[in-house]
Amino acid sequence: MFLTGRTAIVTGSTSGIGLAYARAFAAEGATVVINGFGDSAAIEATRAELAATSGAEAFYDPADMMRGDEIAAMIEQAVQRTGGVDILVNNAGIQHVSPIDAFPPDKWDAIIGVCLSSAFHTMRAAVPHMKKAGWGRIISTASAHSLVASLNKGAYVAAKHGLVGLTKTVALETATSGVTVNCISPGYVWTPLVENQIPDTMAARGLTREQVIDDVLLAAQPTKAFVTPEQVAALALFLCRDDAKSITGANLSVDGGWTAA
Ligand code: NAD
């Protein structure tokens, strides 16, 4: 239980990879703040499960990652409730698949807002607390799309590349303060985010569901297997250990060899 006494905030943790991070931190004793959308009874069940796992408190904060004011309030409330913010995971994400000439501007704004600007707002609010404590871990879920592009994902690829640039910059700014700042870049992980883009990809490319899975999603992943949320969370847990204190400003791939190709 090496995270007992630590507070971890995970944005977008009501499902998928974010929930796996929250479970991993709770299993090591952390007080966890979860965030994201979903059915309120299911969210409360998740919150209670996390508290039971950690033996510490667990909170849900409904902040919309499109809103800088709500993000700042989420960080401050976590500090007031728990005494600090030790681990921040920028994980909330959305996707829209469309060629550039048909890409709806509101979808561009939403993807840049949730996948990139939210990390600016969380880091801006959390870094002073981490510096004051002399310890902190900031981890952002980027993507293989932070390193390479795919067709029809202009906003997502731009946001994820930007998230890596922001990470490198804040890593330099915090390098002597006990705070590390890194990205984890998964390949395809089987979560609702991937499931939800299958119909659009089927329509955009005239493919069946099976063709999208085999010929589009797993085509780029040499292992021909989806990454699991738990594998991504295991790396985040390692980044929280003292053994990882020299890893900062990095973008660590968990992509089945995708970006090696
Ligand atoms: P998911 O859809 O299961 O989870 C996304 C989470 O973000 C949910 O909790 C959702 O409620 C939350 N969210 C969305 N909009 C929000 C908003 N405005 N405010 C607050 N919360 C919001 O997706 P996932 O696959 O677990 O994705 C998590 C992260 O991993 C994303 O940043 C995604 O880009 C990244 N990623 C996913 C994959 C993959 O294959 N699934 C691969 C690489 C990177």
Side-chain angles (χ1 to χ4, degrees):
M1 302 281 265
F2 79 100
L3 295 179
T4 300
R6 301 279 191 207
T7 296
I9 302 178
V10 185
T11 74
S13 46
T14 50
S15 78
I17 298 167
L19 181 53
Y21 289 130
R23 285 185 168 137
F25 296 141
E28 291 296 342
T31 297
V32 178
V33 179
I34 56 168
N35 159 263
F37 300 142
D39 171 68
S40 56
I43 291 171
E44 172 51 25
T46 300
R47 190 207 61 74
E49 172 211 310
L50 293 167
T53 303
S54 66
E57 287 186 289
F59 300 97
Y60 166 64
D61 192 302
D64 182 347
M65 292 301 113
M66 290 282 286
R67 304 241 345 222
D69 56 344
E70 293 188 15
I71 293 169
M74 175 183 74
I75 302 290
E76 288 316 312
Q77 188 162 31
V79 171
Q80 277 169 22
R81 278 169 162 167
T82 72
V85 48
D86 303 298
I87 300 165
L88 166 67
V89 182
N90 297 303
N91 173 77
I94 54 173
Q95 176 62 284
H96 183 78
V97 179
S98 168
I100 194 68
D101 50 342
F103 213 100
D106 63 325
K107 297 284 187 195
W108 168 274
D109 288 343
I111 290 172
I112 298 296
V114 175
C115 295
L116 176 58
S117 300
S118 69
F120 160 73
H121 292 293
T122 57
M123 290 192 206
R124 184 173 179 275
V127 161
H129 297 289
M130 292 179 172
K131 279 183 164 174
K132 197 170 154 201
W135 195 93
R137 295 289 187 265
I138 300 175
I139 299 163
S140 297
T141 314
S143 166
H145 286 118
S146 73
L147 295 162
V148 295
S150 290
L151 282 173
N152 303 329
K153 295 186 177 176
Y156 187 83
V157 170
K160 296 297 187 179
H161 276 65
L163 186 56
V164 172
L166 177 64
T167 293
K168 290 177 180 175
T169 306
V170 180
L172 297 181
E173 292 175 11
T174 57
T176 58
S177 61
V179 178
T180 70
V181 192
N182 294 289
C183 285
I184 297 178
S185 282
Y188 276 106
V189 187
W190 190 254
T191 68
L193 183 139
V194 169
E195 177 61 41
N196 292 341
Q197 66 188 277
I198 290 175
D200 286 348
T201 308
M202 287 167 65
R205 302 205 197 174
L207 300 174
T208 66
R209 180 183 168 81
E210 289 66 34
Q211 285 171 323
V212 170
I213 292 173
D214 294 338
D215 302 342
V216 179
L217 301 182
L218 293 181
Q221 213 146 285
T223 51
K224 299 297 170 203
F226 284 99
V227 176
T228 69
E230 291 73 24
Q231 290 164 355
V232 178
L235 178 55
L237 213 48
F238 176 70
L239 289 172
C240 295
R241 292 190 177 275
D242 284 342
D243 284 340
K245 69 180 177 188
S246 296
I247 303 174
T248 195
N251 182 11
L252 304 166
S253 293
V254 186
D255 66 3
W258 175 348
T259 53

